[in-house]
Amino acid sequence: MELYVIRRPSAWANMAELQAAGAASAEIGNEQMSDRVRWIRSYVVHEADGRIGTFCIYEARDGDSIREHARRVGMPGEEFYKVATTVVVRDDPVEPPIAAE
C-alpha cells in the first residue's frame, strides 16, 4: 500500500457531523475494506466558510480504493495526493484525540 493525503474541504457543518463520518469511515475501512485502505490520522481544520474540513492521512492500495471508501462513507474523496516522502521536524503536539469509533 502507498501513503496518501486526502483533502476534504468544507465537508461537514459541525463536529457532530464529522464524528459521525469518522465512525462510518473507521467501520467501513476496518470491516469492509481492510485490504484496500487504512486510515492513519486526520487534521481537522476550520474553513473560511465556517464549515469543517480535513486533511487525512491514509494508506491505500490505489486511488480507486480511496474513491470507493469515500463513496461508501458518503464523503468527498476526489482530492488526494500520493506522498513522495515525509519530513518530520517535531512530533505532533499531544492533544486529546477525537474518537474515530
Side-chain angles (χ1 to χ4, degrees), residues 7-8 11 19 21-22 24 26 28 34 47 51-52 59-60 69-71 73-74 78 80 84 89 91-94 98:
R7 173 76 171 116
R8 304 186 204 280
Q19 287 178 323
I28 289 167
S34 62
E47 301 284 356
R51 293 178 61 85
I52 303 294
E59 286 181 324
H69 175 260
R71 185 193 65 74
V73 174
E78 289 298 321
F80 58 87
V89 176
D91 291 335
D92 288 343
V94 176
I98 295 175

Side-chain angles (χ1 to χ4, degrees), residues 14-27:
N14 53 52
M15 293 302 286
E17 283 186 5
L18 173 62
Q19 287 178 323
S25 178
E27 180 179 341

Side-chain angles (χ1 to χ4, degrees), residues 5-96:
V5 175
I6 306 166
R7 173 76 171 116
R8 304 186 204 280
S10 298
W12 300 278
N14 53 52
M15 293 302 286
E17 283 186 5
L18 173 62
Q19 287 178 323
S25 178
E27 180 179 341
I28 289 167
N30 293 340
E31 296 178 14
Q32 298 175 19
M33 300 184 70
S34 62
D35 62 331
R36 296 178 59 193
V37 296
R38 183 170 172 239
W39 181 16
I40 306 300
R41 70 170 45 116
S42 293
Y43 295 95
V44 179
V45 297
H46 293 285
E47 301 284 356
D49 63 2
R51 293 178 61 85
I52 303 294
T54 58
F55 290 87
C56 301
I57 310 301
Y58 274 71
E59 286 181 324
R61 184 169 33 175
D62 52 29
D64 288 340
S65 297
I66 291 170
R67 287 183 194 96
E68 176 64 17
H69 175 260
R71 185 193 65 74
R72 290 186 192 188
V73 174
M75 63 185 176
E78 289 298 321
E79 187 179 347
F80 58 87
Y81 308 89
K82 190 182 292 187
V83 173
T85 191
T86 302
V87 177
V88 177
V89 176
R90 292 180 183 84
D91 291 335
D92 288 343
V94 176
E95 294 182 28

